[in-house]
Amino acid sequence: MKLTALTATTLTPKQPQPQPQQAPPKQHQHQHQTKPTKYQRISLSTKTNPVDVIVSWTSSISRRCQSGQLPEAAAEFTRMRLSGVTPNHITFITLLSGCADFPLESEFFGALLHGYVRKLGLVGDNVMVGTAVIGMYVKFGRIGLARLVFDAMEVKNSVSWNTMIDGYMRYGEVDDAIKLFDEMPVRDKISWTALINGFVKNGRFEQALECFSEMLISEVEPDYVTMIAVLSACANLGALGLGCWIHRFVLEQDFKNNVRVSNSLVDMYARCGCVDFARQVFEKMPKRTLVSWNSIMVGFAANGLAEEALEYFDLMQKYELKPDGVSFTGALTACSHTGLVDEGLRYFNIMKRVYRISPRIEHYGCVVDLYSRAGRLEEAMRVIENMPMMPNAVVVGSLLAACRTRGDINFAERLMKYLVELDPSIDSNYVLLANMYAAVGRWDGSGKIRAMMKALGIQKKPGISSIEIGCSIHEFVAGDKSHIDTECIYATLQLLSIDLKICGYMPETIVRELYEND
């Protein structure tokens, strides 16, 4: 050790002491008159450390990518190459991630980057670069190219697998996502969560809950993102019993005070009709966000508690929280359910003029519903005709439902032409109008609607009802006899039917008679 130290000391040249009184040669004075450029300064200042040069360039590129300045980032990358500095994998990951964050303006540049990194052999050898390319193509919507890159990678990690699974789910290719998930060598909580969240986004709520059960059986501990997805599945199914169990499970975890989980619990209870439970969760939250207030307000409004919804809308502003579009949706819905037309219109104007929020289609839908429930059909129609965007079938359909309530067939026929132009494939609108004709004895009108449906190839979709028993969801279709307890169910229905007839109830058979030959 002493020899090594001595040798190092001996071989290190002694630096000469500067001579401050001695003027530098004139030749050097002439050389220093030329000021180096920005990029030359980077190279000169780190001449003995090329890693610092790459870091400096990559940091400059990263700042532009994060600001959405992709053309400037590409230009900086070009200057980096022209200056003789070779980018490393971090440089490429930075650029690929920037392209993924702004897909609409970077698809061509992203493809060029992919070609470059493939030429350098980084896609197959460097798992981080390969995964970044997959993520970029997923954001571009080029899921086929993403899978080609995935298959070409010699080394894959869990992030690579999870990115590909999430990409399949993002574009509705659920079966491919399941198949890839089954092929995974090791599944972590992110893998399970990607699958569960994908099921929820694609409307497969039962599969999401089944997947969550398998996750727990596999002894993989869920995180707060998993619980948010599972609570969303419970809310969409109205699975209150399972939702209560998950609430208890959450209380035993470290993320029990996570504001996003609490917001999901409020939403779940409200959508399951347990507004009191939703209120309890809201009141116990140590911290509340705008989403928290919106969830409880919309929950009150959807369950007919309009006064509470409007009360919380005013209370939220006292806590100095500025309402957004969702907040006004809750307020407008509350006014609609209680017939407060003038109050609802006041909120609509406040949203536009005071808070400068541009109304979206859901806000116009609330105003249409506001007028429709009050029987002011012509005013509702004027809102639809003057909307700055094309109304959807939901907005027009709410007015059609109001026509049925009012028995206004002429207005319904006028609306039906509008609905056929929007989307001629929605069966419920035809059924609603057919029932209106049948209710007043206009069987020719019902027959006309039936012929129209046949000509367009539209079939009435069967209605599905569900019930939760012991945390299990049981679904039923009219006339379905596949349930294990079919005999008991039909025997009970027969008893109920007899009791109802004794009380004077006559069952409605319009829809059955109308479609019995379809």
Side-chain angles (χ1 to χ4, degrees), residues 477-501:
V477 180
D480 183 16
K481 297 185 179 180
S482 61
H483 196 276
I484 190 172
D485 295 322
T486 294
E487 292 184 7
C488 181
I489 292 170
Y490 273 90
T492 304
L493 287 173
Q494 185 66 27
L495 291 173
L496 289 172
S497 179
I498 293 171
D499 289 342
L500 287 169
K501 288 179 180 179

Side-chain angles (χ1 to χ4, degrees), residues 298-309:
V298 172
F300 281 137
N303 285 278
L305 301 175
E307 293 182 2
E308 287 86 343

